[in-house]
Amino acid sequence: MDTLDSRSLQSAHATVRPAGFDAGSVLCLPSDWTPLLGTPALSTSELQALQGMATQQWVPAGSFVFTRQQPATQLYAVLDGSVGLGLARADEPFHLERTVRGPQWLDLASAWLGAEHAQDARAVNDARVVGLPLQPLRSLLMRQPALQERLLVALAGTVHSLTSVTHDLMHKDAERRLAAWLLQSCEAVDEREGRVVLKERKRDIAAQLAITPETLSRMMRQLNRKGLIEVQGYQVRVLDLPALRALAGD
């Protein structure tokens, strides 16, 4: 679904449970928090407090987690699946600006500002999303100062990542941006190669790189001819990781 309609808006707060989901199970596993809040593992008291306030929703592909019109009252993170951040307008395709793949923070800032969300968030594929309501979280942080440091580091990491993306858009040409995107997206198989599973539409990947889908296809063919990658259906194998890193400017 590419348009923002009333059904999509309603689904932004719906809890969608896939087959086999146990409604009585713990919202999040202890291991879910580590990628979001870092190591060492949370203490028992920290974990219990977060589990007690966290809200979880299963969002089917094409449905919204939140929209720009909604006041931000929670910190959101993607645990599994992918959620796209961008701009939704009625009767127009969803304009994807960035994809957040779990486990990763989705919006760690807006609630602290008492503002509306800065972007619309729509599931690229079925996603498991967790929210931390700001008001009870504020009280918890007063009692658990170590969590303040964890959230501050997480927020700093988000800012650092977005700064890198902005730098790439300003200073790298399209081919170097694609190389950087492939490096960030690949799942390491071993130290010599990686694998990228293309779960997004070509036009959505192109939008994130600020290029056209036709330019994306052409550059993929160029990287293939150079022996850096091999495209097989929806998978891209990185054949020359050092060369791809050199091209990306890493």
Side-chain angles (χ1 to χ4, degrees), residues 219-231 239:
M219 290 193 304
M220 282 285 197
R221 291 193 296 269
Q222 289 176 349
L223 294 181
N224 183 76
R225 286 196 296 268
K226 292 178 180 179
L228 274 64
I229 65 172
E230 179 183 62
V231 181
L239 302 178

Side-chain angles (χ1 to χ4, degrees), residues 178-195:
L178 174 58
W181 183 87
L182 288 169
L183 288 172
Q184 294 167 1
S185 303
C186 73
E187 303 169 0
V189 175
D190 57 37
E191 62 182 9
R192 295 165 300 178
E193 65 176 1
R195 177 171 57 90

Side-chain angles (χ1 to χ4, degrees), residues 153-236:
V153 170
L155 183 57
T158 299
V159 173
H160 184 271
S161 176
L162 292 176
T163 300
S164 297
V165 170
T166 301
H167 172 83
D168 287 355
L169 289 173
M170 295 290 292
H171 300 287
K172 292 184 178 181
D173 61 26
E175 189 176 53
R176 293 177 67 196
R177 294 200 302 273
L178 174 58
W181 183 87
L182 288 169
L183 288 172
Q184 294 167 1
S185 303
C186 73
E187 303 169 0
V189 175
D190 57 37
E191 62 182 9
R192 295 165 300 178
E193 65 176 1
R195 177 171 57 90
V196 179
V197 180
L198 302 178
K199 298 180 179 179
E200 303 163 58
R201 293 171 298 185
K202 182 171 64 174
R203 75 179 188 189
D204 290 337
I205 297 172
Q208 296 175 72
L209 299 172
I211 58 178
T212 65
E214 293 75 20
T215 299
L216 174 62
S217 296
R218 176 171 53 81
M219 290 193 304
M220 282 285 197
R221 291 193 296 269
Q222 289 176 349
L223 294 181
N224 183 76
R225 286 196 296 268
K226 292 178 180 179
L228 274 64
I229 65 172
E230 179 183 62
V231 181
Q232 298 178 335
Y234 291 97
Q235 293 194 20
V236 178

Side-chain angles (χ1 to χ4, degrees), residues 12-245:
H13 292 293
T15 299
V16 181
R17 295 175 181 148
F21 177 72
D22 181 2
S25 64
V26 177
L27 287 176
C28 303
L29 298 173
S31 58
D32 285 331
W33 295 108
T34 301
L36 302 177
L37 296 173
T39 57
L42 295 173
S43 67
T44 301
S45 60
E46 291 171 334
L47 180 61
Q48 289 177 342
L50 288 177
Q51 300 284 60
M53 72 175 67
T55 62
Q56 180 177 263
Q57 55 181 316
W58 289 91
V59 185
S63 295
F64 286 81
V65 180
F66 54 76
T67 71
R68 290 173 296 122
Q69 289 79 18
Q70 295 172 340
T73 60
Q74 299 191 66
L75 312 184
Y76 282 100
V78 183
L79 298 179
D80 297 297
S82 301
V83 175
L85 289 168
L87 177 64
R89 290 186 176 135
D91 301 322
E92 292 185 13
F94 182 74
H95 179 72
L96 180 69
E97 298 172 6
R98 183 165 64 94
T99 298
V100 177
R101 300 174 182 83
Q104 192 176 350
W105 288 104
L106 183 62
D107 188 347
L108 191 54
S110 299
W112 294 107
L113 300 174
E116 296 176 341
H117 293 284
Q119 295 170 292
D120 298 305
R122 193 183 76 162
V124 176
N125 47 45
D126 293 350
R128 183 165 62 107
V129 176
V130 65
L132 292 175
L134 182 61
Q135 292 309 315
L137 180 62
R138 283 184 186 273
S139 300
L140 173 62
L141 295 180
M142 296 296 292
R143 304 191 306 271
Q144 302 278 5
L147 276 177
Q148 296 182 35
E149 178 76 12
R150 290 178 185 261
L151 280 173
L152 181 60
V153 170
L155 183 57
T158 299
V159 173
H160 184 271
S161 176
L162 292 176
T163 300
S164 297
V165 170
T166 301
H167 172 83
D168 287 355
L169 289 173
M170 295 290 292
H171 300 287
K172 292 184 178 181
D173 61 26
E175 189 176 53
R176 293 177 67 196
R177 294 200 302 273
L178 174 58
W181 183 87
L182 288 169
L183 288 172
Q184 294 167 1
S185 303
C186 73
E187 303 169 0
V189 175
D190 57 37
E191 62 182 9
R192 295 165 300 178
E193 65 176 1
R195 177 171 57 90
V196 179
V197 180
L198 302 178
K199 298 180 179 179
E200 303 163 58
R201 293 171 298 185
K202 182 171 64 174
R203 75 179 188 189
D204 290 337
I205 297 172
Q208 296 175 72
L209 299 172
I211 58 178
T212 65
E214 293 75 20
T215 299
L216 174 62
S217 296
R218 176 171 53 81
M219 290 193 304
M220 282 285 197
R221 291 193 296 269
Q222 289 176 349
L223 294 181
N224 183 76
R225 286 196 296 268
K226 292 178 180 179
L228 274 64
I229 65 172
E230 179 183 62
V231 181
Q232 298 178 335
Y234 291 97
Q235 293 194 20
V236 178
R237 289 184 58 225
V238 177
L239 302 178
D240 192 336
L241 189 56
L244 193 65
R245 284 176 173 158

